[in-house]
Amino acid sequence: MSLKSTSKYLSLILRHEPELIGITLDEHGWAEVDALIAGVSHTHPLTMETLEQIVREDAKQRYSFNGDKTLIRANQGHSVPVDVELEEVTPPEVLYHGTGRQSTASIDAQGLLPMSRLYVHLSADYATAKTVGQRHGKPVVYRVHSGKMYADGFRFYRSVNGVWLTEAVPARYLEKMP
């Protein structure tokens, strides 16, 4: 198995389906490293060294260890209800969201919704949003008027890997980029 394949499987387990390998996440999304390694190893060979390499080298910085590396969690993107202990922060005036062209009619009508996740994911820059959008087909980038949203009472969080999160973005705060 490749590191990429194992990392994707870890993402599935730590964000969406921990029960697939018989583990549970605590209320903050943490899983016991030993139990994770044992469970994942049934289908994807995994050692502590390999897990440390995945956490260290993951381009999106999806995972974090606790201080003594006995616990691990995904930094954001969960569909299971967990509180990853994000602090509310003041966002920049503008953030961005990348998507595929096929989603624009729904977004234009309803705004950005978290869908199966707990939060809508936003990027600090256009280029990152465009890269995200390309994963979903022909990319479309929306400018999110996050400063105005925040002034209007919406809460924002920033995960440890720099992804901006909010519960939803009403269509009135969106502007489709050319």
Side-chain angles (χ1 to χ4, degrees):
M1 293 274 164
S2 70
L3 278 182
K4 183 176 181 179
S5 170
T6 302
S7 181
K8 284 185 172 195
Y9 190 58
L10 286 172
S11 181
L12 173 70
I13 299 301
L14 293 173
R15 294 164 78 183
H16 309 294
E17 298 184 50
E19 67 277 1
L20 280 180
I21 62 166
I23 65 168
T24 57
L25 306 179
D26 74 11
E27 67 272 15
H28 300 295
W30 294 106
E32 293 180 9
V33 168
D34 290 342
L36 178 77
I37 290 171
V40 167
S41 292
H42 292 297
T43 57
H44 294 71
L46 185 64
T47 64
M48 182 62 178
E49 293 75 26
T50 303
L51 183 59
E52 288 174 325
Q53 181 182 0
I54 288 169
V55 171
R56 183 177 57 251
E57 295 178 3
D58 186 74
K60 296 180 185 175
Q61 295 296 291
R62 288 182 184 97
Y63 317 105
S64 293
F65 285 115
N66 69 338
D68 64 2
K69 296 186 178 180
T70 58
L71 300 174
I72 187 172
R73 72 176 171 194
N75 290 322
Q76 90 278 325
H78 298 83
S79 60
V80 295
V82 297
D83 171 10
V84 292
E85 305 169 288
L86 298 169
E87 282 188 45
E88 184 176 336
V89 290
T90 304
E93 283 300 309
V94 174
L95 290 167
Y96 300 90
H97 180 80
T99 191
R101 185 170 303 277
Q102 71 279 5
S103 300
T104 59
S106 172
I107 291 170
D108 292 345
Q110 300 176 7
L112 295 172
L113 303 173
M115 308 309 282
S116 63
R117 294 180 172 176
L118 301 178
Y119 297 101
V120 171
H121 292 201
L122 304 172
S123 303
D125 62 90
Y126 176 89
T128 300
K130 184 174 181 183
T131 298
V132 170
Q134 287 172 331
R135 285 189 244 143
H136 304 284
K138 185 159 174 63
V140 175
V141 176
Y142 286 87
R143 179 181 289 127
V144 177
H145 295 281
S146 44
K148 175 74 171 127
M149 283 181 66
Y150 188 73
D152 290 346
F154 289 85
R155 295 186 310 225
F156 286 81
Y157 310 92
R158 189 174 50 226
S159 70
V160 296
N161 60 348
V163 175
W164 285 88
L165 307 167
T166 192
E167 291 181 5
V169 180
R172 69 183 177 275
Y173 297 103
L174 294 172
E175 178 183 349
K176 201 179 303 177
M177 304 285 295

